[in-house]
């Protein structure tokens, strides 16, 4: 019996380490996005500062892990075995849920997930106890604190709205004062801005960051609590003076200092206060075991009879566990690619520049953008022209032609980054002082979105996509709560009835799902690397255009050749699943080429005067690439549709003839790939000359099918498919040869001009 609970404890601590890694991957966005997005320092420097904050917050935390999570459930109503079931269900759910959001590169709240997991698991066990005791469902109130759950939900809604509005307002005022040419105005108002920002962040550290630090005397904390206004006033005067001295007599950028201090502060608070979300449950389980084991040795009380009244208080965490947790968090911060994916999702939504959008517009985002446009037009009618011009001047962005020197420009400037950190610090500090429940993730994200809106980062070209992205993230937050509740309840029920066997099965499933998620993520990353793309900001010279275009043509041809061969083989085998897979691959390729065509504007803008003539070559290249992709896509979709509709298979002779064409195409494409990959372009002329033989082969097969219809062919569906495949193959070859001809002519002209 003891061995089973020891096994559960070991599993819980292993899950805790895993939970730390997935949790940090999700929460890193809270304190990294402003510094990384504004490029206030190198990524290495930012990570070092954040790591110090995380380590200090974790190691010097008091480790007071609230077992009941602020009264979500009453431990005294549960026996030891039931408490262990609740904790186990919570940890399994938490890891799977956070890993899912990390894989989707979406930020969510670890606080909300752990709260609703505890709520779901405890509700499930409570209902089972009520049923077993033949009590009324109204007795659930004895086990669960429903008011606290409602308070948390209300806190989420309130924090989302307030954070967005306050972030937008403060950023508008800040931008109006500084404008986008803040280097000039910072000499005059930078001292006051620095004083306000650093005071806010310092207050945040005092109120939120060190409230649980064990080495801080209680008398000092009481002094802070009783003299908040005095401390704020003193800090404002001191930091304003220091900021003005830095601006006037040094070359240091006060905005960078604010951003780095803010990054440290948020990282400190995250580790010091959110650590409970990752190791609080295993620590509580360990304490529960110690309490029961002591009673068991003393009186022989069974785990099904020992009530957990002792857990209604607080559970102190040993220092070595905090050190280990801090170490795991710091290592994850440096190594986790998923952490950076989540971070760049928020940065992408907040960036000032245009470019590829991750989210697709929806009805709600279109409605809001349209309403905003109409509102702006109405305000423009009422507001005097002089005021409009003054505001427009303050919000006008400096125009700069993108070149190699500024290609890696920040997603937003340091004024907005400083406001993000300042406002988030103030809101979180105020809520903490008032004992209001909120999520640091929600506040940080919505402040960043509010500042983006008022900073005009969401222009007419991008607003509908960015707003859709915000709704996707917010929707994900509420899905977090629902899924956490339901999944934890289901897992708790399964373990309650299935005991050890059910637990082992769930753990195996969890390991398989995490492994599958990891492999799927790695596959997606490889697909991103293999995706055809041209950096518009680096295509400056004709030589670079030729080199990058040849690389992308080679990638398209390689993928088309692979898909064509797979379609012919799987059409013959009537393998619907593999044809469906080929169809998905082609859909991605279509999107990639479409993205390239969407970015033609940025490509042309990035060219210098000597390379402008290359624009036509680039546009025609994309047009031919799209023709090639459309042909292979038509071939794939028609083949899939034919098999999916259960039509008769193509005859053996037809499949054989298609396979021969595939083999000749493979040779053609391989010759092209070798030539383009080697940057020699010597064989292109010979490939173009050989096109007639390949086209004649296709034409011969078309004639052969005509003769077959006149004599033996009996299936109109087969005829339609076969002709479609041959005609699209012919178009594919023609588009390929046209592309090569264009490429050869452009390359030859360039060589002639150069010589």
């Amino acid at each position: 019996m003891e061995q089973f609970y020891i096994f559960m404890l070991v599993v819980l601590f292993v899950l805790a380490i895993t939970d730390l890694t997935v949790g940090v991957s999700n929460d890193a966005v809270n304190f990294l996005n402003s510094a990384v997005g504004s490029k206030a320092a190198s990524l290495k420097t930012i990570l070092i500062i954040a790591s110090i904050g995380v380590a200090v917050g974790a190691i010097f935390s008091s480790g007071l892990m609230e077992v009941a999570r602020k009264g979500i459930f009453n431990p005294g109503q549960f026996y030891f075995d039931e408490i262990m079931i609740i904790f186990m269900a919570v940890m399994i759910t938490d890891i799977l849920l956070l890993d899912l959001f990390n894989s989707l590169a979406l930020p969510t709240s670890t606080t909300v997930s752990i709260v609703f997991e505890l709520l779901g698991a405890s509700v499930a066990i409570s209902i089972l106890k009520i049923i077993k005791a033949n009590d009324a469902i109204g007795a659930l109130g004895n086990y669960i604190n429903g008011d606290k759950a409602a308070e948390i939900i209300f806190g989420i809604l309130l924090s989302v709205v307030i954070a967005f509005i306050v972030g937008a307002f403060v950023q508008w005022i800040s931008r109006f004062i500084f404008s986008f040419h803040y280097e000039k105005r910072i000499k005059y108002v930078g001292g006051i801005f620095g004083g306000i920002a650093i005071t806010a962040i310092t207050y945040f550290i005092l109120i939120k960051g060190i409230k649980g630090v064990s080495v801080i005397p209680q008398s000092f904390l009481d002094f802070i609590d009783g003299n908040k206004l005095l401390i704020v006033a003193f800090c404002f005067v001191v930091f304003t003076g220091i900021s003005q001295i830095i601006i006037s007599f040094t070359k240091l950028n006060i905005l960078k200092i604010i951003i780095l201090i803010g990054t440290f502060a948020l990282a400190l608070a995250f580790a010091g206060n959110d650590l409970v979300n990752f190791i609080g449950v295993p620590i509580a389980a360990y304490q529960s075991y110690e309490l029961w084991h002591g009673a068991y040795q003393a009186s022989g009380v069974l785990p099904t009879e020992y009530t957990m009244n002792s857990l209604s208080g607080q559970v102190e965490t040993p220092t070595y566990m905090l050190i280990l947790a801090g170490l795991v968090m710091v290592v994850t911060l440096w190594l986790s690619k998923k952490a950076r994916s989540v971070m760049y999702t928020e940065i992408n939504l907040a960036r000032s520049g245009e470019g590829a959008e991750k989210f697709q517009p929806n009805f709600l985002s279109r409605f809001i953008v349209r309403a905003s446009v109409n509102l702006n037009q109405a305000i423009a009618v009422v507001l005097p022209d002089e005021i409009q011009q003054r505001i427009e001047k303050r919000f006008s962005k400096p125009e700069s032609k993108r070149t190699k020197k500024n290609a890696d420009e920040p997603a937003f400037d340091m004024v907005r980054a400083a406001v993000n950190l300042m406002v988030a610090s103030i809101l979180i500090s105020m809520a903490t002082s008032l004992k209001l429940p909120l999520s640091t993730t929600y506040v940080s994200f919505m402040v960043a979105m509010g500042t983006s809106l008022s900073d005009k980062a969401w222009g007419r070209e991008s607003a509908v996509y960015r707003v859709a992205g915000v709704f996707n993230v917010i929707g994900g937050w509420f899905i977090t709560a629902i899924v956490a509740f339901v999944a934890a309840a289901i897992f708790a029920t399964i373990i309650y009835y299935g005991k050890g066997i059910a637990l082992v099965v769930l753990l195996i499933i969890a390991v398989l799902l995490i492994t599958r998620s990891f492999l799927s993520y790695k596959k997606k990353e490889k697909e991103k690397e293999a995706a055809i793309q041209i950096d518009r900001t680096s295509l400056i010279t004709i030589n670079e255009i030729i080199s990058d275009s040849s690389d992308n043509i080679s990638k398209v041809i390689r993928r088309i050749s692979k898909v064509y061969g797979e379609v012919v083989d799987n059409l013959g085998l009537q393998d619907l699943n593999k044809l469906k897979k080929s169809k998905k691959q082609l859909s991605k390729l279509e999107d990639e080429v479409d993205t390239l065509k969407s970015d033609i504007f940025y490509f042309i803008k990035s060219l210098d005067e000597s390379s402008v003539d290359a624009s036509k070559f680039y546009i025609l290249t994309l047009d031919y690439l799209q023709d090639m992709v459309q042909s292979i896509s038509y071939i794939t979709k028609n083949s899939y549709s034919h098999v999916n509709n259960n039509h008769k298979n193509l005859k053996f002779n037809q499949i054989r003839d298609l396979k021969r064409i595939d083999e000749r195409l493979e040779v053609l494409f391989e010759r092209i790939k070798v030539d383009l990959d080697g940057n020699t372009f010597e064989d292109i002329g010979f490939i173009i000359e050989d096109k007639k033989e390949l086209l004649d082969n296709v034409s011969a097969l078309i004639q052969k099918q005509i003769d077959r219809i006149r004599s033996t062919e009996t299936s109109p569906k087969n005829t339609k498919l076969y002709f479609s495949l041959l005609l699209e193959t012919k178009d594919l070859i023609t588009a390929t040869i046209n592309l090569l001809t264009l490429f050869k002519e452009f390359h030859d002209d360039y060589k002639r001009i150069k010589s």
Side-chain angles (χ1 to χ4, degrees):
M1 181 170 59
E2 288 183 68
Q3 287 76 10
F4 175 68
Y5 291 109
I6 291 173
F7 167 73
M8 291 182 75
L9 284 176
V10 172
V11 171
L12 280 170
F13 278 100
V14 172
L15 292 175
I17 295 174
T18 308
D19 204 28
L20 275 171
T21 60
V22 296
V24 173
S25 296
N26 180 82
D27 280 4
V29 64
N30 297 338
F31 49 85
L32 290 180
N33 71 302
S34 292
V36 174
S38 64
K39 297 189 183 295
S42 66
L43 182 60
K44 183 178 179 180
T45 301
I46 294 168
L47 288 176
I48 290 173
I49 291 172
S51 298
I52 295 172
V54 168
V56 171
I59 294 172
F60 292 101
S61 169
S62 67
L64 294 176
M65 303 297 169
E66 299 174 73
V67 178
R69 276 311 294 173
K70 301 181 181 178
I72 290 298
F73 66 91
N74 181 9
Q77 295 291 327
F78 298 89
Y79 295 113
F80 170 65
D81 64 323
E82 296 166 344
I83 283 286
M84 293 297 286
I85 290 172
I86 290 172
F87 291 156
M88 188 62 70
V90 166
M91 290 304 294
I92 293 174
T93 306
D94 202 52
I95 289 171
L96 294 177
L97 187 60
L98 292 181
D99 184 71
L100 172 63
F101 273 85
N102 290 341
S103 299
L104 296 174
L106 293 174
T108 191
S109 171
T110 53
T111 302
V112 169
S113 64
I114 202 76
V115 165
F116 278 89
E117 285 153 7
L118 281 165
L119 184 63
S122 57
V123 165
I125 299 299
S126 300
I127 291 174
L128 294 175
K129 287 170 66 69
I130 289 171
I131 293 173
K132 189 175 181 179
N134 291 321
D135 287 340
I137 195 66
L140 186 63
N142 298 328
Y143 299 88
I144 306 298
N145 187 348
D147 293 339
K148 178 58 65 175
E151 183 183 344
I152 291 171
I153 294 172
F154 177 75
I156 292 172
L157 293 170
L158 194 62
S159 65
V160 165
V161 176
I162 291 177
F164 185 83
I165 293 173
V166 174
F169 176 76
V170 175
Q171 177 60 31
W172 195 93
I173 297 296
S174 301
R175 184 62 69 194
F176 184 79
I177 294 172
F178 285 103
S179 80
F180 283 94
H181 304 274
Y182 60 87
E183 295 86 354
K184 301 176 182 178
R185 293 175 175 82
I186 202 168
K187 296 178 181 178
Y188 310 107
V189 292
I192 296 176
F193 183 81
I196 295 173
I198 299 176
T199 298
I201 294 168
T202 303
Y203 182 75
F204 170 78
I205 293 174
L206 293 175
I207 299 300
K208 181 75 173 173
I210 68 170
K211 70 169 187 176
V213 177
S214 57
V215 297
I216 303 295
Q218 184 60 41
S219 58
F220 180 73
L221 296 177
D222 292 338
F223 172 78
I224 292 175
D225 191 54
N227 298 275
K228 292 176 183 177
L229 291 178
L230 180 64
I231 292 171
V232 169
F234 175 78
C235 288
F236 173 70
V237 173
V238 171
F239 289 132
T240 298
I242 293 174
S243 299
Q244 193 60 52
I245 291 171
I246 291 173
I247 294 169
S248 302
F249 300 103
T250 71
K251 294 183 178 180
L252 296 175
N253 188 329
I254 188 63
L255 294 176
K256 285 186 179 181
I257 295 174
I258 294 170
I259 293 166
L260 295 178
I261 293 175
T263 299
F264 170 83
L266 284 177
L268 171 72
F270 155 72
N273 295 282
D274 287 358
L275 197 60
V276 62
N277 300 334
F278 312 124
I279 67 174
V281 168
I283 295 300
Y286 176 70
Q287 287 284 328
S288 301
Y289 174 79
E290 283 191 328
L291 291 169
W292 166 75
H293 189 258
Y296 176 71
Q297 288 185 325
S299 60
V301 62
L302 296 175
T304 55
E305 299 173 354
Y306 183 75
T307 57
M308 302 306 300
N309 291 300
S310 302
L311 285 184
S312 297
Q314 295 174 320
V315 180
E316 187 171 350
T317 307
T319 304
Y320 73 89
M321 289 187 179
L322 295 174
I323 294 174
L324 177 62
L327 180 62
V328 172
M329 294 167 82
V330 170
V331 171
T332 303
L333 194 61
W334 281 86
L335 300 181
S336 175
K337 290 185 177 179
K338 287 187 177 182
R340 302 188 186 189
S341 296
V342 176
M343 176 179 64
Y344 285 120
T345 293
E346 182 169 324
I347 291 174
N348 185 55
L349 287 174
R351 75 184 191 277
S352 295
E354 306 291 346
E357 301 292 345
K358 179 177 179 179
F359 298 95
Q360 293 301 312
N362 52 48
F363 167 77
L364 198 55
S365 68
R366 293 189 186 99
F367 173 79
I368 289 178
V369 172
R370 190 174 294 113
S372 300
V373 171
N374 293 336
L375 179 62
N376 284 336
Q377 291 174 348
I379 292 174
V381 173
V382 177
L383 211 61
D385 291 341
E386 184 180 345
I387 296 177
Q388 288 187 50
Q389 290 172 6
R390 189 175 179 185
I391 293 174
E392 192 66 31
K393 185 178 179 181
R394 291 287 189 176
F395 282 82
S396 62
K397 299 177 183 178
E399 293 185 7
S400 61
K401 190 173 181 181
R402 294 194 286 180
T403 64
K404 283 184 176 179
K405 292 182 179 179
N406 62 6
D408 196 26
E409 58 187 13
F412 42 82
D413 69 6
M414 284 186 280
V415 171
R416 179 149 39 118
V419 170
N420 284 344
L421 294 166
M422 177 177 64
V423 173
S425 297
I426 292 173
L427 292 177
I428 295 170
S429 301
M430 290 177 62
T432 302
S433 299
L434 297 172
K435 300 185 186 305
L436 297 176
L438 54 71
S439 165
T440 53
T441 300
Y442 297 170
V443 171
S444 300
F445 179 82
M446 292 310 297
V447 166
M449 295 304 102
T451 58
S452 302
L453 175 65
S454 63
D455 217 23
K456 295 189 176 181
W458 299 351
R460 291 287 291 272
E461 301 290 331
S462 61
V464 70
Y465 305 99
R466 308 283 179 86
V467 174
V470 172
F471 282 124
N472 272 274
V473 173
I474 293 175
W477 296 344
F478 289 97
I479 290 174
T480 297
I482 296 170
V483 173
F485 181 92
V486 174
I490 292 172
F491 290 161
T493 304
I494 292 172
I495 298 173
Y496 183 85
Y497 285 111
K499 306 299 181 186
I501 296 174
L503 176 60
V504 171
V505 171
L506 284 177
L507 289 173
I508 292 173
I509 292 173
V511 170
L512 291 175
L513 289 175
I514 293 289
T515 304
R516 181 176 178 272
S517 171
F518 175 75
L519 295 175
S520 176
Y521 182 80
K522 285 190 69 175
K523 183 180 177 182
K524 288 180 180 178
E525 290 300 304
K526 287 183 178 179
E527 288 177 353
K528 286 181 182 178
E529 293 175 3
I532 57 169
Q533 52 187 330
I534 299 177
D535 185 0
R536 303 295 168 272
T537 61
S538 65
L539 292 180
I540 306 302
T541 66
I542 293 178
N543 190 49
E544 288 172 320
I545 295 173
I546 293 174
S547 177
D548 286 339
S549 295
S550 65
D551 287 343
N552 284 293
I553 293 169
S554 177
K555 287 180 181 179
V556 172
I557 284 176
R558 174 178 57 79
R559 291 164 72 177
I560 287 176
S561 177
K562 181 174 180 290
V563 170
Y564 191 95
E566 290 174 348
V567 168
V568 172
D569 291 339
N570 296 322
L571 185 60
L573 297 171
Q574 294 279 285
D575 194 327
L576 185 63
N577 289 331
K578 290 185 178 179
L579 286 171
K580 186 177 181 179
K581 185 177 178 182
S582 297
K583 186 181 172 186
K584 287 183 178 179
Q585 291 175 352
L586 259 300
S587 179
K588 291 179 182 177
L589 187 58
E590 285 179 314
D591 290 340
E592 290 168 19
V593 174
D594 188 61
T595 299
L596 293 180
K597 295 195 75 173
S598 299
D599 289 346
I600 287 175
F601 172 83
Y602 302 106
F603 164 76
I604 296 174
K605 291 275 284 187
S606 68
L607 294 174
D608 59 23
E609 294 301 325
S610 62
S611 305
V612 173
D613 291 340
S615 301
K616 185 177 179 181
F617 161 75
Y618 178 71
I619 294 168
L620 291 175
T621 297
L622 289 185
D623 192 46
Y624 286 132
L625 282 178
Q626 189 170 51
D627 288 344
M628 294 166 62
V629 172
Q630 285 176 346
S631 293
I632 187 63
S633 179
Y634 189 86
I635 289 170
T636 305
K637 290 176 181 177
N638 272 267
S639 299
Y640 171 79
S641 178
H642 184 87
V643 176
N644 194 34
N645 290 329
N646 297 305
H647 295 316
K648 291 181 181 179
N649 194 5
L650 292 181
K651 294 182 179 179
F652 174 78
N653 290 338
Q654 292 173 319
I655 295 295
R656 182 192 60 195
D657 291 339
L658 286 174
K659 191 61 185 174
R660 287 174 179 171
I661 291 295
D662 171 44
E663 291 170 354
R664 292 188 177 96
L665 269 178
E666 190 174 348
V667 172
L668 170 70
F669 288 148
E670 185 60 31
R671 287 174 64 188
I672 297 172
K673 265 185 86 303
V674 170
D675 212 39
L676 294 177
D677 291 345
N679 288 321
T680 57
F681 315 127
E682 295 176 355
D683 197 33
I684 290 181
F686 298 106
I687 296 172
I688 294 172
E689 292 176 4
D690 294 341
K691 69 173 182 178
K692 188 175 184 305
E693 181 183 353
L694 189 55
L695 289 173
D696 288 344
N697 287 333
V698 176
S699 298
L701 291 181
I702 293 174
Q703 183 59 49
K704 186 176 180 180
Q705 177 62 17
I706 293 173
D707 296 337
R708 192 182 286 129
I709 292 171
R710 301 288 295 176
S711 57
T712 60
E713 182 63 73
T714 58
S715 173
K717 296 295 183 184
N718 277 15
T719 298
K720 177 187 175 183
L721 174 65
Y722 191 62
F723 274 140
S724 297
L725 298 181
L726 292 177
L727 291 172
E728 288 301 328
T729 299
K730 185 177 179 182
D731 289 345
L732 173 62
I733 296 168
T734 301
T736 304
I737 298 303
N738 288 341
L739 177 58
L740 292 179
T741 303
L742 172 70
F743 192 89
K744 183 177 183 302
E745 291 174 353
F746 184 79
H747 180 255
D748 291 346
D749 289 343
Y750 172 65
K751 282 179 64 178
R752 186 166 54 252
I753 294 171
K754 190 176 179 181
S755 59

